[in-house]
């Protein structure tokens, strides 16, 4: 059943994993800083603009357009902190009212390590899935989730 909540979580995790891998390569090859803003039922890929020191949506790249996924929650847990991530040391603060990314994929090849959790709003009995992000920007399913394909 394609609308099975567990199957939807698995598909969305695989999609996000591929997008993160692409965004990491994009950041390194184009020498730009890329961020990901996870919020409720979706996420946005952001690019840092040095000219005005702001984060802008990457809507010009079809692979990294903002994505809304009704029925699925996306949450970030920084490896160095509990709960929502605070801006990493050395990052540029956002202007008034501007969003900051939860995690960064830097042009240097470094990234904010942590865990993205995908959970079902439609069926709370469905086990949440995790996607681990390493300090080098590699994205992989959590060990406990690897058997789920």
């Amino acid at each position: 059943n394609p609308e099975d909540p567990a199957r939807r979580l698995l598909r969305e995790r695989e999609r996000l994993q591929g997008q993160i891998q692409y965004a990491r390569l994009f950041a390194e090859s184009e020498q730009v800083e890329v961020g990901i803003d996870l919020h409720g039922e979706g996420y946005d890929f952001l690019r840092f603009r040095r000219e005005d020191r702001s984060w802008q949506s990457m809507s010009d790249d079809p692979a990294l357009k903002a994505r809304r996924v009704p029925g699925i929650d996306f949450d970030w847990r920084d490896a160095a902190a509990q709960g929502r991530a605070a801006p990493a040391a050395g990052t540029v603060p956002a202007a008034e009212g501007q969003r900051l990314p939860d995690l960064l994929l830097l042009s240097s090849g470094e990234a904010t390590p942590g865990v993205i959790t995908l959970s079902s709003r439609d069926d709370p009995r469905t086990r949440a899935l995790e996607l681990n992000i390493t300090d080098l920007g590699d994205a992989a399913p959590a060990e406990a989730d690897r058997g789920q394909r």
Side-chain angles (χ1 to χ4, degrees):
N1 176 6
E3 292 309 310
D4 172 45
R7 179 174 255 159
R8 285 188 68 222
L9 283 179
L10 185 59
R11 274 196 326 261
E12 286 305 322
R13 182 183 64 187
E14 289 173 350
R15 175 181 280 123
L16 182 56
Q17 181 180 3
Q19 287 176 296
I20 290 171
Q21 291 169 341
Y22 172 78
R24 185 191 78 185
L25 293 173
F26 180 89
E28 291 176 36
S29 65
E30 298 298 318
Q31 287 297 289
V32 297
E33 314 313 332
V34 174
I36 305 172
D37 178 29
L38 299 157
H39 45 84
E41 293 184 333
Y43 51 91
D44 293 313
F45 285 87
L46 308 171
R47 172 182 329 180
F48 184 71
R49 290 176 25 125
R50 288 182 174 93
E51 304 83 41
D52 59 1
R53 301 176 64 83
S54 67
W55 290 97
Q56 303 293 320
S57 178
M58 294 183 72
S59 57
D60 57 332
D61 189 321
L64 299 177
K65 285 173 125 173
R67 181 149 172 83
R68 304 290 169 263
V69 190
I72 296 180
D73 273 330
F74 296 84
D75 191 42
W76 171 251
R77 187 174 67 249
D78 191 290
Q82 296 296 335
R84 297 291 286 182
T91 61
V92 177
E96 187 70 30
Q98 184 185 28
R99 292 190 324 240
L100 279 177
D102 292 297
L103 67 137
L104 302 173
L105 303 168
L106 302 177
S107 58
S108 65
E110 298 171 280
T112 309
V115 178
I116 298 172
T117 302
L118 292 81
S119 56
S120 175
R121 284 188 176 188
D122 297 333
D123 185 357
R125 296 171 298 168
T126 302
R127 188 168 71 82
L129 297 180
E130 294 184 339
L131 188 60
N132 293 326
I133 311 299
T134 69
D135 60 348
L136 296 176
D138 294 319
E143 277 295 321
D145 299 340
R146 287 184 197 253
Q148 293 193 7
R149 288 214 160 264

